[in-house]
Structures are given as structure tokens and as C-alpha cells.
Amino acid sequence: MNKARWLMSLIVLAAVAAPSAAQADPTAWPATRSPAALTDPATEGRITTLMQRMTLRQKLGQLIQADITAIKPADLKRYPLGSILAGGNGGPYGNERADTATWVRLVGEFRAVSRRSGAGIPILFGVDAVHGHSNLPGATIFPHNIGLGAAHDPELIQRIGAVTAAELSGSGIDWTFAPTLAVPQDLRWGRSYEGYSAQPSLIAAYARALTLGLQGPITAGTPLPANKVAATAKHFVADGGTEGGKDQGDARMSEAELVAVHAAGYAPAVETGVLAVMASFSSWNGVKAHGNRYLLTDVLKGRMGFDGLVVGDWNGHGQLPGCTPTDCALTINAGLDLVMAPDSWKGMFDSTLRHARRGTIPITRIDDAVRRVLRVKAQLGLLDAAPMERGDPARIGTPDHLAVAREAVAKSLVLLKNNDGVLPIRPGARVLITGPGADDMAMQSGGWTVTWQGTDTTAADFPKGQTVGRAIAAAVRDAGGEAVIAADGAAAAKPDVAIVVFGEQPYAEFQGDVPDLAFRALAGEAELIARLKAQGIKVISVFLSGRPLFVPKLINASDAFVAAWLPGSQGQGVADVLVARRDGTPARDFTGRLPFAWPADARSPITAPLWPVGHGLDYRAAVTVGPLSEDPKVDLAALASEDSYMLRGKVMMPWRLGVDSAVTARAVDLSAQEDARQFRWEANGAIAIDGPPVSLSRQGTGGFALQLDWRIDAPATGPVRLSLGGATLDISAPVRALPQGQPAKLDIPLACFAAAGADLAHVGTPLRLQAQRGFAMTLRTARLSQPMPLPACPPAAP
């Protein structure tokens, strides 16, 4: 071993062995154990025999997972990977709206090649089925977890798990990255809706219920039934406890708090037999979970007796000190068994092989990780001589599955105001249904629906579902009334009551991080409600959101206010509670109760709530609400800047810069010290600036343009594409026209993006730049400008 290699090995091993501020006492954690059936002697013997035949390359392949967008089945002939995933923006053969049969075909192709290659061990195939099989159009889509938390019903959760498993298996898939066991404490976190509740006790009950629903019980020597899948408890641990609610941030707290609050769901999941645990992107007291040997090995595998596999999150290992997405011995030595290297898998495989041959990763650690992966495969029947076949499109969106989702929606609704008993809507009433969310499947389903951010989900994606507005209209008519849906609130005849559906636009993960808990209306909701009230019309507000938000002005203006969360595809569940039948009674009363406290102001964390956890009215309660204080107690100027995204090399809060692993980035001097960032495309990829959605509608009609103040350092060898608000333009020609190596400005009118289909009223990604290998540029500033005259529009990207 040469000196450089020796030093690298020493550094990595020292990082694993060194004590950290996050290390404490494993006996503070619950002493649990995976079911003994998971490690029954016969299965362990089969695994031992199989491992004795495996080469080092075959073993290491079991430790690495690739995304379908970056690997083809034929690649498994050379790289015997053990697992494939389909991430939030990945669909079979590049089609995010592929049908069930296409999913079955894709999984089957990967599985067939893996059976014929290497050691002949079939791959695991995983997806984020976080509220039903949400990757698949036509599937049954449940409320997001925050709504299920409002239901306070573990038995319902178990049935939801069973439905989700059946539909996943029906599309050929055998593994889901769920349940999420986060206990969000600061609702500024963009993933708050993935948490069931702020109550650890409810998380514990749901962990057991959903694991059983997805997997069923673990039985020695018997694989899971064909309609069950492997579950994943995530994200270990304290992803819901980061400072400031920052996604992938640092949870700074004592071990006692970590165990009592944020680890509450993991012991029940382990005892129930959960087959996988996913490490968190976040840190505990400054130590990233992906490299925390104390948490992953000493606590989870040691004290808690977890015998399944520990999987990483999307290139999370690349955030560890001394690591990159393609090279990280530290994460495996810390206890990660399966590295999620979606687009970096090939480099990760090659570097891991080098580390194994040098001894940087001990063979005992490799064998332990392989054994854990194979245990999961054994439970799924993948090691059998005639492996269990999954794939039955008839299981998708069946009437009984849709009925469970409809029930879940009804049980998730929380009534916060019902002055003068305006609800339920009386039989024979004339009803106006309006607001931006009245007929919007994307708003009611939220992120992680067909696509990662969920912004382009439509009713056509779920033909067996109904939008909230259409479901209410149908129920009103069934009860002998009249109903009209009008987004602008206009109706030919004065209605008896108006239902205004509004709330947050879809988002996922860090794109949902916000500076405070104030709801900022983007579509004139306040003006709409005020106009209706001025006409003497009773107003019922249905609020779609991924968290409780400070919205007193709109609560005060409404006669009734319903927290509907993100209900998913079955809007009929909302109608079941809000609309009375011909006999004057609704199909269901309100039974939902707040899973998180509702804020009295816009500050977070919430210390003095307006309504506590567990609050909720029903039709028996005669409670008058209001008027509520409209003082946010914070400076609401912290709203995302509408017109500046990067200034002099600094990304403006709360915008965030995202860089693919194919692109390198570094601070450089353009006209002053580190006043710009240089990006080099080592492979095809993209950079993006994302944040909470803002409205650029005014700027779109006011002669504004997106201006890039930059320098082209190396010419593009292929197309250069620029996206804003969901529309993409081909800017290859104007980029080629810029002087290479000299600072220059490029202005692209917002109207060009609008003409290409951008939704300027809800822009969460004001800049996304795609290019091919070899392109390099230095970006100083990205913001809106008003160039005179406006330049011509580049063509829309094909």
C-alpha cells in the first residue's frame, strides 16, 4: 500500500472510530429485538451457503442501489447490483405516467437479468409509496400522513398498509420506503406532512400498524405472501427535530430527548419485524446519520436488535466528511448496508471494490451487510428456486381499496369553526364551489404524487378519483340541490352557501421549507371570500395544507373552516362529511382531531397554540369561534424574494441551490472575492434553484425577464435548456452567441416561459439549467430584470 492510500485509509478508519459529541449511552435506548423468525437457522444456513459461493464483486454489488434513470438491465451483467429504485421523478423508460403493465415489465427485465448474472440473486426493487402507490397513475391515493394522524386510528392505518402493499405488488414491486416515523417539532420543515403527529405515542402505534399492514407477520421459513412488500422505517433518526425546521439540518438535543421523542416509532417497528430502516439525511449534534456508527451500529443493530438492512437516502453518503457521492467507505463502516447511489452507482461500486481490496472496509463488515440484504430477499421469496412472481394489474384501484381511501379522507377532516351551524350543507341548497383548489388534483394530493413535487398532477391521472369540488357538487345534487364550480366565484344565481377551497401549492422535501407559519395567499383568496361575504353569502372554507398555518384573517372571514390537509384522490370523503343527504344527515360526522397544535401566530416552534393537539369540533358542538387575533408577531417580509435568486454568488434565502452529482460547483472570483460560483458538467445533469412557490404573474405581464449574469467557461457540446415554473426553453443558440471567457448577461422574458406552459402564479423553481458533459459556466447573479427592448423568445425544448 503506497503512502497516499495508507493516509486515506487511516483518515477513514479514524473518522469511524473517533468518539463524537453525539455518542452517549446505548442503554438509554429500548432493548428490543427483531422477530426471531427473521434469523431462523434454516434461512441463515441457506444464506451462508450462498455467500460461500459469491465473489467479492458479487458481494459488493448487493451493497449498492441504482435509480432506473441511470441504469439499464444490461448493466447488471457487469455490475451485479443488489437493488434498484425508482425515485420521485423516475418512471419506466422515462415515462412518469407509465401504466401498471409497464411497471411490471420494467421490474421483470431487471429481475430477469439479475437472475442470470453474477451469483444469480434477484434484485430488490424499491419506491417511495408514501401515501399509497403514489408513483402510479390510477392507483389508490390516501391522505398524506398528517391527515392520517388526524384520524387517530391505528386499525385504519393497518388496512391502508395492506392496500398499498397489494397495489405495489400488483405492479411488480416488492419494497416501499415507508413508514415515515418522523415526529416534526418545527412545522417550517417542508416534510412536516410526512409526519403523522407531534405525539410520540401515536407514532409508535402507527409504526406497528403500518408495518403489519405492509408486510404481515414474519414467519420462520415462510416468505411474505405475494400481496405483501418489505417496509422501511425512516428516517433514522430525528429528521423532524432539526434546528429551524431545516431539511437535512442538525438536531441539537440530548440523548434523552432523542430517545423519548424522535425514536418512539422505531422500537415498535423493529419488534413487528420491519425489514429495513433508512438513515436520515440530517445530523444529531453535528454528526450526519449516514456516518454515525454509534446510531447505526451500536444503537440500532446492537441495543435495539435490528436484524434487517439499513439503507441510505439519495446520495446521502456524499455529504459525509471526506466522502463524495462516488466514494465513501465511511458510510459502510458506520453501519449502512445498502448505499443508495442513484446516479453515482458505478463510481460507488468501483471505489467500494478498491476499499474492500485494500482492507479499508473490513470483510467482516461486508459479509454482515450482505447477509442483512439477503435476509430481506429471503423474506420476499427471492432466494427460492422458483422465486415468487409479483405483478397483477387487477389489484390496482379496486373498489374496496378506493373505499378505504374515502374512509380515510372523511376521518382526517378537522372542523375548526362552524358558527351558526352552517355545516352540514342542507338538502336542496344552492351551492357555489370556488377557490384555486376546488377542482385541482395537484393541490389536494400534494407532493410525492406521480412526480416528486406533484405540481403537474391532474384529475386525468386518477380517473377513479374525484376532486374535492366535483365530489361536493355530486353530493349536493344527490341531495336535491344545485351546485356549480366556478374558480372565479362567479355564479348566475346567488347561492345559499359558497365553499371556497384553497391552501398550499404542492411541494416535497426542502422545497417546502418556509421562513414562518404564515399562510401567504397567492390567488386572491381573501378578496374572493370578502366579495362573497359582501353579497350576504355564507362561506365555508376548506383549507388544503401540509401543516397547520397561521391564517386568522381567512378564518375570521369564514362562517365555517375545515382543515382538510392533503386528502389525496378520493374527494368523495370530504363530501361525505360536509354535505347532508336527503334525510338531512351527513354520511359521516367530523371525527378528526388535530395531530399538531394550530398556531396562534406565525412563530415556530409553536409555544402558545390557538388550538392544542387533539382539538376538533363536530356537529354536536355548538361553539362560536372568533374573532381571532391577526397579529403574526413576526416580520412577514421574510417571504421568498420574488425577483432575486442568486446575488453575487450567494443564493438568497429561502431559495436553495441544488446540484446534480454530475455537476461540480465551487466559489470563484469574477469581479470581487468569491462573488460567483463556477459549475462544470462532468456528465449530463442540471443545477436548480428551488424554494417555496411565489407568484410571478405580475412580472410576467410587466416586461420582466430572467437575467443570468454569468461567464461561459467551456462551450456546450449539446443542448442547453433553461426551465422556470415548469416550462423549459432551449437556450442553446443564445448561449453560443455569448463571448466565451468574458462576463455577459442573458435575458429570457418571463412571457416566453408562460407561452411554453409555465404557471407563473406558482413558481417554486425559478431556475433550472440542464446541459451535457463538458459545459462550464460561472454564475454571478440570477434575478428578474426589465431589459429594453425585450429579446426574442428561444424555442420551447422538445
Side-chain angles (χ1 to χ4, degrees):
M1 181 179 294
N2 64 33
K3 184 176 180 180
R5 290 180 177 177
W6 177 81
L7 285 172
M8 181 179 67
S9 301
L10 185 62
I11 291 170
V12 172
L13 290 172
V16 173
S20 75
Q23 293 184 1
D25 179 14
T27 62
W29 296 73
T32 55
R33 189 78 199 174
S34 292
L38 185 58
T39 55
D40 75 283
T43 299
E44 292 298 294
R46 291 174 61 199
I47 292 172
T48 298
T49 300
L50 180 56
M51 289 178 61
Q52 288 171 345
R53 300 199 306 264
M54 296 173 70
T55 66
L56 180 60
R57 283 180 58 88
Q58 291 166 356
K59 288 181 177 180
L60 294 179
Q62 296 299 309
L63 275 56
I64 296 173
Q65 183 180 56
D67 185 76
I68 58 172
T69 60
I71 191 171
K72 292 180 170 43
D75 291 327
L76 298 180
K77 295 177 181 178
R78 180 179 177 189
Y79 292 90
L81 302 194
S83 179
I84 304 294
L85 83 147
N89 278 334
Y93 315 106
N95 180 11
E96 293 175 333
R97 286 175 165 77
D99 61 13
T100 307
T102 307
W103 277 98
V104 172
R105 188 172 108 227
L106 176 78
V107 178
E109 288 174 355
F110 276 108
R111 192 149 286 152
V113 175
S114 63
R115 286 172 181 160
R116 297 192 301 267
S117 305
I121 302 172
I123 52 101
L124 280 170
F125 196 102
V127 299
D128 286 279
V130 294
H131 62 137
H133 188 1
S134 48
N135 296 68
L136 179 65
T140 304
I141 304 300
F142 295 95
H144 269 293
N145 287 354
I146 190 170
L148 299 181
H152 289 83
D153 189 341
E155 187 274 335
L156 171 65
I157 298 304
Q158 185 167 338
R159 285 189 282 131
I160 288 172
V163 169
T164 302
E167 297 201 2
L168 279 167
S169 180
S171 59
I173 295 167
D174 48 30
W175 185 15
T176 176
F177 306 133
T180 297
L181 302 180
V183 190
Q185 299 298 295
D186 190 325
L187 296 176
R188 290 175 291 181
W189 186 35
R191 303 189 76 159
S192 291
Y193 65 76
E194 296 187 47
Y196 295 110
S197 174
Q199 290 183 310
S201 59
L202 185 66
I203 305 297
Y206 276 20
R208 189 181 304 276
L210 193 62
T211 299
L212 275 176
L214 290 166
Q215 294 185 174
I218 302 296
T219 304
T222 303
L224 302 183
N227 63 346
K228 296 296 183 182
V229 299
T232 308
K234 69 179 190 184
H235 305 87
F236 193 77
V237 63
D239 48 341
T242 60
E243 284 193 321
K246 295 298 182 185
D247 193 50
Q248 303 184 21
D250 190 13
R252 305 198 68 84
M253 64 185 67
S254 68
E255 187 164 24
E257 181 181 354
L258 183 70
V259 174
V261 177
H262 298 282
Y266 290 94
V270 169
E271 291 174 336
T272 307
V274 72
L275 291 174
V277 171
M278 181 178 286
S280 177
F281 270 120
S282 61
S283 305
W284 175 42
N285 292 338
V287 180
K288 285 281 185 182
H290 274 68
N292 195 321
R293 181 183 175 90
Y294 173 71
L295 287 179
L296 299 184
T297 299
D298 298 345
V299 169
L300 181 60
K301 296 179 177 179
R303 175 69 173 177
M304 297 181 70
F306 174 62
D307 289 322
L309 70 86
V310 178
V311 62
D313 209 341
W314 192 279
N315 276 332
H317 57 279
Q319 298 182 7
L320 299 181
C323 289
T324 69
T326 57
D327 190 342
C328 191
L330 171 58
T331 196
I332 296 173
N333 284 332
L336 206 73
D337 302 308
L338 181 57
V339 181
M340 187 183 287
D343 55 353
S344 56
W345 61 270
K346 189 175 294 185
M348 190 65 189
F349 180 94
D350 292 338
S351 68
T352 303
L353 181 60
R354 290 195 299 271
H355 286 300
R357 286 172 173 168
R358 297 169 188 164
T360 312
I361 304 176
I363 190 62
T364 52
R365 173 76 272 269
I366 293 169
D367 283 347
D368 173 62
V370 173
R371 180 173 294 277
R372 289 170 177 275
V373 172
L374 296 184
R375 276 183 194 142
V376 174
K377 292 187 175 185
Q379 285 297 319
L380 292 168
L382 296 175
L383 302 186
D384 293 348
M388 185 182 303
E389 294 293 338
R390 287 178 165 81
D392 181 2
R395 294 180 188 159
I396 310 301
T398 63
D400 57 324
H401 292 177
L402 299 172
V404 176
R406 182 172 181 169
E407 175 189 348
V409 173
K411 288 182 173 180
S412 73
L413 304 179
V414 179
L415 180 62
L416 296 176
K417 181 178 181 179
N418 191 24
N419 288 7
D420 301 323
V422 66
L423 282 173
I425 297 170
R426 310 294 192 267
R430 183 184 295 117
V431 180
L432 168 66
I433 305 164
T434 185
D439 195 25
D440 193 315
M441 187 62 77
M443 281 186 66
Q444 71 186 56
S445 298
W448 293 109
T449 309
V450 181
T451 60
W452 180 37
Q453 295 296 318
T455 53
D456 59 349
T457 303
T458 69
D461 290 320
F462 301 102
K464 297 178 183 179
Q466 273 191 308
T467 62
V468 169
R470 291 181 183 271
I472 291 174
V476 168
R477 295 179 188 125
D478 287 346
E482 301 175 16
V484 60
I485 301 175
D488 60 359
K494 180 180 177 181
D496 300 316
V497 64
I499 299 177
V500 183
V501 187
F502 64 95
E504 292 187 290
Q505 294 297 315
Y507 55 82
E509 300 194 25
F510 67 87
Q511 295 198 26
D513 285 2
V514 292
D516 53 56
L517 297 185
F519 171 66
R520 293 172 169 90
L522 295 174
E525 295 90 336
E527 294 79 5
L528 172 61
I529 293 174
R531 189 167 70 247
L532 294 168
K533 293 294 291 182
Q535 300 173 53
I537 301 170
K538 296 286 188 181
V539 172
I540 299 164
S541 288
V542 176
F543 189 51
L544 303 173
S545 73
R547 52 198 150 202
L549 289 170
F550 179 66
V551 61
K553 182 177 181 179
L554 297 178
I555 295 178
N556 286 336
S558 306
D559 297 282
F561 194 91
V562 178
W565 315 112
L566 300 170
S569 64
Q570 303 310 113
Q572 302 96 315
V574 178
D576 288 342
V577 182
L578 268 61
V579 182
R581 298 169 294 194
R582 288 181 181 267
D583 65 1
T585 63
R588 292 180 179 273
D589 197 350
F590 284 94
T591 58
R593 300 294 181 260
L594 289 178
F596 296 91
W598 198 277
D601 53 56
R603 295 175 295 181
S604 185
I606 300 168
T607 55
L610 177 62
W611 292 301
V613 173
H615 174 79
L617 306 176
D618 54 40
Y619 288 137
R620 296 168 297 175
V623 177
T624 299
V625 174
L628 306 175
S629 170
E630 298 181 12
D631 181 5
K633 299 191 185 312
V634 297
D635 179 8
L636 297 186
L639 174 65
S641 171
E642 294 179 359
D643 58 8
S644 296
Y645 315 116
M646 179 186 286
L647 291 178
R648 294 176 294 280
K650 305 296 183 185
V651 178
M652 306 304 291
M653 288 293 292
W655 300 106
R656 290 199 176 183
L657 175 67
V659 181
D660 284 358
S661 60
V663 184
T664 61
R666 66 189 183 99
V668 297
D669 301 344
L670 195 58
S671 58
Q673 185 175 7
E674 293 191 352
D675 68 334
R677 294 197 189 190
Q678 186 178 68
F679 302 91
R680 291 188 177 276
W681 273 255
E682 307 297 337
N684 300 348
I687 66 169
I689 295 178
D690 302 293
V694 298
S695 175
L696 300 182
S697 298
R698 175 179 60 83
Q699 293 91 333
T701 58
F704 280 78
L706 174 62
Q707 182 182 86
L708 303 181
D709 176 6
W710 60 350
R711 181 186 68 200
I712 305 302
D713 299 317
T717 57
V720 181
R721 292 170 176 166
L722 181 66
S723 303
L724 180 148
T728 303
L729 305 177
D730 187 340
I731 63 169
S732 303
V735 168
R736 284 195 300 269
L738 294 174
Q740 186 173 328
Q742 299 177 32
K745 290 184 174 65
L746 178 66
D747 293 292
I748 307 295
L750 292 183
C752 303
F753 294 100
D759 179 7
L760 295 185
H762 310 101
V763 176
T765 304
L767 186 155
R768 186 171 190 271
L769 191 71
Q770 300 168 265
Q772 295 185 1
R773 180 178 181 179
F775 182 58
M777 64 86 174
T778 297
L779 181 62
R780 176 165 46 194
T781 293
R783 62 183 177 186
L784 299 187
S785 66
Q786 286 185 294
M788 294 295 291
L790 279 173
C793 288

